[in-house]
Amino acid sequence: MKRLVVVSNRVADPGCLASGGLAVCILDGLKERGGVWFGWNGEIVASEAEIGVSCRRDGKVTFVTMPISERDYKEHYLGFCNAALWPVHHYRLDLARFTPESCEAYRRVNSRFAEALAPQLNPDDLIWVHDYHLIPFAAELRAHGVRNRIGFFLHIPFPPPDVLVAVPEHEWLMEAMCAYDVVGFQTRTDQANFCRFLCEAMGGEMVTPEVVRVSGRVLTASVFPAGVCVDSFSAMATRPEAEKRIQWLHRRGEPRTNIIGVDRLDYTKGLPDRFRSFKRLLELYPENRKAVTLMQIAPPTREEVKAYADIRHELEALSGEINGQFGDFDWTPVRYVHRSVPRDTLAALYRGSQIGLVTPLRDGMNLVAKEYVAAQDETDPGVLVLSRFAGAAEDLEEALIVNPYDTDEVAQAMQHAILMPKQEKIERHTALLARVREHDARNWMEGFLQALDAPPAPLASLLSTPSATFDALQPWGVPAPTAQLSAAPNGRATASRGFRSAAMPQAHSIRAAEIISTAPRA
Ligand code: ADP
Ligand code: G6P
């Protein structure tokens, strides 16, 4: 088996409380298969001179990590990653902030990380890069002469082209993304948005529904829904300590129904709307007063970004308002916990809650939805209320699917869940659990690595010859391109509609083009 080298900005520390789907699903998959995990160690140092690489082994995983400088933390992590790319990818252009310095820092950090990793790679390592912090990482590795196959998985949504073009450097970014051999997405919608951009704005052509020829290269763009480790989660939820916590939950809380929400305190998670929906539940169905509690666990995240500080204030005000209006000396309607909790405690809380409320306004996948399903008692399960805008909704059809912006609809779904007969709960949960098992952490990792390591035979030769023409594929029965393209005078297909703008930083476009066109191929 080839050595796997995973690269991500956030690297989980197995000894600490992780909050964030990326760290959770990589750790679940990597612990089993083993390999190297390279990325940021979460430390911030005063100057670049203090940056050094450190190495540590835990079970089958070797962690190779490095700090970033204070300047890069501000301009790269808080700046380009979380004040520009994150809001754009979650369709929140109103919150996006772009500066040339932050984009420059993004390029700088990617380049420095690649420089640190390149000498440690073996020629047959499989390299798997994760998430929006590292889009140009493959292009940077190629510039260091790395010939390995390199894959990329985007944990967050990929927006429609009209939204993406708000990023001033979108052309450079998308060119850089084409330096990967395999690009993976959470949902079909994300994959379709990506392919649309390549075809409409970059003159790409679909060779098959998952293979695109673009910018002189051929890459695979497929869907690999991220998942959780079902057995380990349900084992945590059924330990004797978990049982004690569940009993405590029911003894302490007078209410018959506990509704649970677990999310980083991120504006994409729809927490204010969720609280307002809970308030509507108490208004529309007053019989639930003193009978239902909403427990929201929302650890802090990226607090130095203004939009995150704003959401915290809004949420604190809302929980105070609801508790003030409806609470009594023997009942607190909203229990709001603003910190991380151990995973086994989370598992127990999920199992002890009759409703899992997962209502993001936009989310790549949302692993909390899957964890909630995995933790339930199969003979007496709770009900999952799930936003249609979570990637998980593409798969988890048996949940009560809601529009999180419609507070009355969410309140009605909660009421539906409260009154749902046990038999219906069991039927829905059985179907959901089967889907969560089918797309678990192991299948996600194996599926991606298979696509990266062993492209389908008929395409293998095409993938290694970027200049191959479409005609060369006909003998293998590859269908005609699906995109609407017209032939240009030079014979290359061109897009019928373009998103190109002239406002691209010169230095970036030249650099990316050089890196990609001179990249040695595996
Ligand atoms: P995101 O990746 O956007 O944070 P996900 O729902 O996909 O959203 O993943 C969140 C992960 O972080 C889940 O595994 C969840 O259990 C974990 N998590 C969220 N909140 C907490 C918390 N308060 N304490 C511990 N883990 C948390
Ligand atoms: C999401 C992103 C991850 C990120 C995580 C936690 O899951 O997709 O890339 O690691 O949120 O955010 P943080 O900024 O703390 O790494």
Side-chain angles (χ1 to χ4, degrees):
M1 194 165 57
K2 289 181 180 168
R3 185 173 76 151
L4 171 63
V5 178
V6 169
V7 185
S8 64
N9 180 64
R10 176 70 63 192
V11 174
D13 181 340
C16 290
L17 310 175
S19 48
L22 172 143
V24 166
C25 64
I26 296 180
L27 188 61
D28 278 351
L30 204 55
K31 269 196 290 198
E32 244 178 86
R33 176 183 164 122
V36 174
W37 194 349
F38 175 80
W40 178 35
N41 62 9
E43 282 173 25
I44 302 159
V45 292
S47 76
E48 283 163 23
E50 294 170 54
I51 297 175
V53 177
S54 49
C55 193
R56 183 172 56 84
R57 204 176 161 81
D58 191 306
K60 291 194 217 165
V61 187
T62 304
F63 295 84
V64 181
T65 54
M66 56 196 281
I68 59 173
S69 70
E70 218 163 283
R71 179 171 162 225
D72 287 343
Y73 176 73
K74 279 197 192 116
E75 294 178 355
H76 160 76
Y77 172 74
L78 297 176
F80 199 70
C81 295
N82 288 314
L85 291 183
W86 179 270
V88 171
H89 277 261
H90 289 86
Y91 301 54
R92 291 298 302 269
L93 295 184
D94 57 317
L95 297 176
R97 302 285 175 268
F98 310 106
T99 64
E101 299 76 40
S102 66
C103 182
E104 188 49 39
Y106 181 72
R107 194 199 61 72
R108 188 168 66 233
V109 172
N110 270 272
S111 166
R112 187 177 305 121
F113 271 43
E115 201 178 330
L117 182 65
Q120 312 205 28
L121 293 171
N122 298 326
D124 65 345
D125 284 345
L126 282 178
I127 304 168
W128 190 10
V129 181
H130 292 259
D131 234 359
Y132 58 103
H133 315 82
L134 295 167
I135 292 172
F137 194 77
E140 294 289 351
L141 280 182
R142 301 270 184 236
H144 283 86
V146 173
R147 301 167 63 92
N148 306 44
R149 280 179 66 78
I150 311 179
F152 178 78
F153 185 79
L154 186 69
H155 291 253
I156 62 175
F158 192 95
D162 322 42
V163 174
L164 183 72
V165 294
V167 179
E169 300 82 7
H170 63 272
E171 290 182 314
W172 167 70
L173 272 174
M174 290 302 103
E175 284 284 353
M177 205 156 161
C178 295
Y180 290 96
D181 296 290
V182 176
V183 179
F185 298 93
Q186 299 275 26
T187 66
R188 290 190 295 275
T189 306
D190 300 319
Q191 190 256 8
N193 284 340
F194 174 70
C195 292
R196 239 188 90 203
F197 188 91
L198 298 193
C199 292
E200 294 183 5
M202 293 173 67
E205 57 183 313
M206 301 304 298
V207 177
T208 78
E210 296 190 339
V211 175
V212 198
R213 185 162 57 224
V214 63
S215 294
R217 300 204 62 239
V218 175
L219 65 115
T220 301
S222 304
V223 179
F224 305 92
V228 297
C229 184
V230 177
D231 291 333
S232 81
F233 219 85
S234 84
M236 275 191 285
T238 47
R239 279 186 203 145
E241 312 87 76
E243 197 49 51
K244 273 190 220 144
R245 280 205 183 90
I246 294 166
Q247 280 168 9
W248 173 88
L249 197 65
H250 292 305
R251 209 174 40 238
R252 278 284 306 274
E254 292 299 316
R256 291 185 301 273
T257 302
N258 196 55
I259 302 177
I260 192 158
V262 176
D263 314 73
R264 285 179 306 103
L265 185 41
D266 194 298
Y267 52 81
T268 60
K269 302 294 181 181
L271 298 180
D273 291 293
R274 185 181 304 174
F275 279 22
R276 281 189 276 269
S277 300
F278 181 68
K279 186 175 175 215
R280 288 300 285 153
L281 175 78
L282 302 178
E283 285 166 354
L284 292 172
Y285 310 100
E287 67 273 24
N288 291 317
R289 296 179 192 178
K290 296 203 177 189
V292 179
T293 291
L294 170 63
M295 179 183 283
Q296 178 64 54
I297 302 176
T301 179
R302 309 171 196 167
E303 285 187 303
E304 294 101 320
V305 178
K306 185 177 177 301
Y308 288 81
D310 292 348
I311 196 91
R312 179 180 172 178
H313 294 137
E314 189 180 357
L315 208 59
E316 281 168 1
L318 263 170
S319 64
E321 184 190 315
I322 298 170
N323 286 340
Q325 184 178 343
F326 295 98
D328 214 331
F329 61 89
D330 58 350
W331 177 53
T332 308
V334 176
R335 290 187 194 159
Y336 167 47
V337 180
H338 184 50
R339 63 165 186 275
S340 280
V341 298
R343 283 179 74 64
D344 54 352
T345 305
L346 268 190
L349 293 175
Y350 288 141
R351 194 175 176 93
S353 301
Q354 291 65 41
I355 300 177
L357 194 51
V358 181
T359 52
L361 303 179
R362 188 68 59 178
D363 213 334
M365 173 53 61
N366 197 292
L367 296 184
V368 166
K370 296 190 172 187
E371 290 170 355
Y372 179 76
V373 171
Q376 295 309 297
D377 175 353
E378 291 179 50
T379 62
D380 188 14
V383 179
L384 176 65
V385 176
L386 179 61
S387 162
R388 60 188 298 167
F389 301 118
E394 204 170 82
D395 201 21
L396 301 185
E397 290 168 11
E398 291 80 8
L400 297 182
I401 304 291
V402 293
N403 172 3
Y405 294 95
D406 185 340
T407 50
D408 279 18
E409 187 192 313
V410 178
Q412 283 153 13
M414 285 188 259
Q415 180 68 356
H416 180 174
I418 290 166
L419 300 178
M420 190 180 283
K422 189 169 173 182
Q423 190 51 35
E424 183 181 346
K425 288 189 202 174
I426 293 175
E427 282 165 17
R428 284 179 184 268
H429 177 259
T430 305
L432 287 172
L433 188 61
R435 289 171 188 274
V436 171
R437 272 193 192 286
E438 190 187 338
H439 291 137
D440 66 358
R442 178 196 283 183
N443 287 340
W444 170 70
M445 184 167 271
E446 280 179 0
F448 189 95
L449 293 179
Q450 199 175 349
L452 183 61
D453 193 18
L459 292 172
S461 65
L462 178 75
L463 293 174
S464 59
T465 50
S467 58
T469 62
F470 173 71
D471 287 348
L473 282 169
Q474 295 299 333
W476 290 308
V478 172
T482 52
Q484 290 301 309
L485 301 167
S486 57
N490 63 5
R492 270 194 72 192
T494 57
S496 54
R497 181 181 161 211
F499 290 93
R500 282 185 189 277
S501 81
M504 192 160 119
Q506 215 56 36
H508 290 160
S509 60
I510 292 167
R511 186 180 173 84
E514 276 170 0
I515 289 170
I516 293 163
S517 63
T518 58
R521 305 288 312 118

